[in-house]
Amino acid sequence: MLVGSALGMAGAAFSMLRPEVSKASGTMEKHLLESLQVCTPKDALTRLREGNARFTKAWTAASATGTPEQRMHQLNTIWEQNCQIDPIALAKGQKPFAAILSCADSRVDPGWLFACGSGELFQVRSAGNTAFDEAIASLEYAVAVLGTPLVVTMGHSACGAVKAAIASEPLTPLLEGLVKPIRANLKSGDSLTQAIEGNARYSAAQLTARSAVLKDAVAAGKLTIRSASFDIGSGVVTWL
Ligand SMILES: [Zn+2]
């Protein structure tokens, strides 16, 4: 049902394109898709890899420079290839090429570390990047309605939520609920890194285990799901 209505919504979005672009809906659709940089699943993963490589290069260079001005110059190079973004097209619709389930940590901004601009990544974030119902529902929307071909669940180094799950210190009732699924997936003797990577893999597995929409999209070859881990110090995203 969701997928059926998704097609209707996509059609409505395409019908709202700027009138001067085209007379035929096919041409309008083509223009919007081109403006919004649509990719196939394989291209989407390549784009994330390339974006992270650009980010890592700038991140490393900024780490090696001494002044705030030099760091700013290095970090600004992350955005040099994002000038193709069309604000008018974005006002009419979105076609994010990937969806990222990541932690709320302030150092783990997917747009930043994959060198992506507005309209390129559909982002779902909460501490610990857990696949809660709301997160899965959001990803169903990205896949079924927006046609996003790639979903990435991403953990990161020094994750406070995973540290809290490993520790036995008392938490508020709501925070206990937050770390519960992370804690349930911990294996005896896990290091923090192992726990972080295991948690990202577990979140990815939960998507198809609990969502028929996402499971069917994978089975139909329309969706790829990957897990990853981001290292804050080096800037590198490792694909698990
Ligand atoms: Zn975190």
Side-chain angles (χ1 to χ4, degrees):
M1 187 193 297
L2 178 57
V3 175
S5 65
L7 295 174
M9 290 181 69
F14 291 139
S15 70
M16 294 168 67
L17 280 166
R18 22 179 197 182
E20 70 273 20
V21 169
S22 149
K23 295 91 192 163
S25 63
T27 307
M28 289 197 298
E29 187 171 322
K30 184 170 181 289
H31 173 79
L32 178 60
L33 295 180
E34 285 176 352
S35 298
L36 298 176
Q37 298 287 303
V38 172
C39 298
T40 66
K42 186 181 176 187
D43 289 335
L45 189 55
T46 299
R47 283 191 64 177
L48 290 184
R49 289 182 190 277
E50 290 174 349
N52 180 246
R54 192 156 74 247
F55 170 81
T56 300
K57 186 179 175 186
W59 199 241
T60 304
S63 299
T65 54
T67 70
E69 291 76 16
Q70 288 172 325
R71 282 198 297 277
M72 183 176 69
H73 173 74
Q74 293 295 344
L75 293 173
N76 278 341
T77 65
I78 296 169
W79 312 108
E80 282 177 354
Q81 294 178 44
N82 280 334
C83 57
Q84 82 280 9
I85 290 169
D86 181 346
I88 296 172
L90 280 180
K92 303 296 184 188
Q94 61 169 324
K95 199 73 180 170
F97 71 84
I100 317 288
L101 172 59
S102 66
C103 186
D105 191 298
S106 63
R107 303 162 294 179
V108 188
D109 177 353
W112 175 244
L113 61 95
F114 288 119
C116 288
S118 179
E120 295 191 293
L121 297 180
F122 189 93
Q123 299 184 30
V124 182
R125 300 181 65 180
S126 67
N129 44 274
T130 296
F132 290 113
D133 287 352
E134 294 82 355
I136 296 177
S138 299
L139 294 170
E140 284 186 345
Y141 176 82
V143 171
V145 178
L146 303 178
T148 303
L150 173 64
V151 170
V152 179
T153 61
M154 188 173 70
H156 69 95
S157 60
C159 182
V162 177
K163 285 181 184 175
I166 293 173
S168 55
E169 290 165 15
L171 301 169
T172 68
L174 288 176
L175 279 172
E176 282 290 350
L178 184 85
V179 303
K180 188 177 176 182
I182 304 174
R183 200 169 270 160
N185 187 52
L186 283 175
K187 293 174 181 61
S188 177
D190 268 357
S191 66
L192 177 60
T193 299
Q194 287 170 328
I196 288 164
E197 293 181 355
N199 184 47
R201 287 193 187 94
Y202 181 70
S203 291
Q206 287 295 297
L207 301 184
T208 48
R210 292 172 49 210
S211 166
V213 168
L214 299 180
K215 185 179 179 183
D216 290 350
V218 171
K222 295 178 179 175
L223 174 65
T224 299
I225 298 176
R226 295 290 302 263
S227 55
S229 184
F230 170 60
D231 180 66
I232 297 169
S234 67
V236 172
V237 171
T238 299
W239 299 91
L240 303 176

